[in-house]
Structures are given as structure tokens and as C-alpha cells.
Amino acid sequence: MNKTHLPPPPKPTSTPSKTATKSGQIQETPSETSSWVELVGIRNELKKLNHKVGELDNRFPKADKETVKKLWGQFVKSPSFPLFVIVTAILAFGILKPTSYEYQIASPSDSTFEESMNEYGGEGWQTISCRRAIDSITERAGYECILIRKTSWFP
């Protein structure tokens, strides 16, 4: 651990005056050395925290290559390893595969509009937009709907 050494405190240019508080305690009024005292206090607090971190760090054993190999070998032989592999593969496939969609244009007639749209919804289709349209061949009015749905993760 690198230790940082602070420079010696500056020599005071004036003597700090002392005043009594209401509770009777003596209190120094701020002077040029008060910032130095504050820095020393912060340094001491940091030393205490570093000591606590060191104590916590010593609670956990350091893993060497042999220990890691031994633990990995035990894990591979355990009954939960195949489940781990399957879940990891599913998550990786789902996360790495970009979301893809398929689109469809549907033209249900006025008489079967509601029934047709419910059927599309049951198949996972969602409506992006619908508009009234006239069929250029039969010249009959109906709806023209653009539908979307997510493609399956597993083709």
C-alpha cells in the first residue's frame, strides 16, 4: 500500500485566539493552521478506514489457480451443472439475438372485420394501423390493416 506523506504544517503567522463556548469548553478560533488540522483529521480517518478494509480483505482467502481448478472440477461434476449450461445458453441466445419482427397486411371485409381482427390477435399479431380502402379490382370498400408480431426465439 502506498503511503502518502503530508508536508509539515505551515508555521502560524498569528497565534490563534481561544474562546469559551456556552458549555464551558475552550474553542480555538479559525486560523491559518485550522485547515492543516482538518487535513490531519481526514488523514487519520482514512487510515482507520484503510485498516478496516484490510481486516475485511483478510477474512476472505485468496484463490490460487489450483483452488479455482479444484472448485471448477467439483462444479462440473455436480448435478446442477447441466442446468447451468442450459440456462446460460438460453440467456446468451436471447440476449445476443436481436429482436426481429414480421409484418403482414390484412384486408378483412366489413362484415368479418371484428372476427378477423380477434383471430389475428389470438395469433400474436398487433395492429399498427388500419384505414378504409377500396379494392381496385372489385371496387368494394373494406379495411387495409398493417400488422406486426415478434418472431419466435426458436425457429
Side-chain angles (χ1 to χ4, degrees):
M1 180 185 329
N2 292 339
K3 292 190 176 188
T4 305
H5 296 285
L6 295 174
K11 298 199 188 268
T13 54
S14 62
T15 309
S17 60
K18 295 182 180 183
T19 56
T21 62
K22 289 183 181 180
S23 63
Q25 294 178 338
I26 303 295
Q27 178 181 357
E28 273 190 25
T29 56
S31 68
E32 291 178 17
T33 59
S34 64
S35 60
W36 171 255
V37 172
E38 193 175 331
L39 283 174
V40 170
I42 292 170
R43 183 188 68 182
N44 291 337
E45 286 299 315
L46 285 173
K47 280 183 179 179
K48 289 178 191 175
L49 289 172
N50 281 336
H51 182 69
K52 287 181 182 179
V53 167
E55 288 175 355
L56 288 174
D57 196 32
N58 292 334
R59 286 185 181 177
F60 302 103
K62 303 291 183 226
D64 58 352
K65 285 185 178 181
E66 292 304 315
T67 306
V68 171
K69 284 181 182 179
K70 179 182 172 186
L71 290 173
W72 179 253
Q74 290 174 354
F75 178 61
V76 169
K77 292 175 186 173
S78 73
S80 59
F81 182 72
L83 179 63
F84 169 76
V85 170
I86 292 168
V87 169
T88 303
I90 289 171
L91 289 175
F93 182 72
I95 292 171
L96 298 177
K97 182 179 183 247
T99 304
S100 59
Y101 297 92
E102 58 183 329
Y103 299 88
Q104 178 176 340
I105 297 175
S107 301
S109 66
D110 287 347
S111 60
T112 63
F113 180 78
E114 187 174 345
E115 182 182 319
S116 297
M117 294 307 286
N118 285 334
E119 187 177 318
Y120 287 125
E123 295 171 2
W125 291 100
Q126 294 180 343
T127 306
I128 294 178
S129 70
C130 279
R131 68 180 185 136
R132 292 289 289 168
I134 297 175
D135 188 341
S136 61
I137 298 172
T138 62
E139 295 186 6
R140 291 174 57 188
Y143 288 95
E144 183 178 77
C145 301
I146 300 174
L147 308 171
I148 185 174
R149 73 175 169 188
K150 257 187 190 178
T151 56
S152 174
W153 279 8
F154 305 105

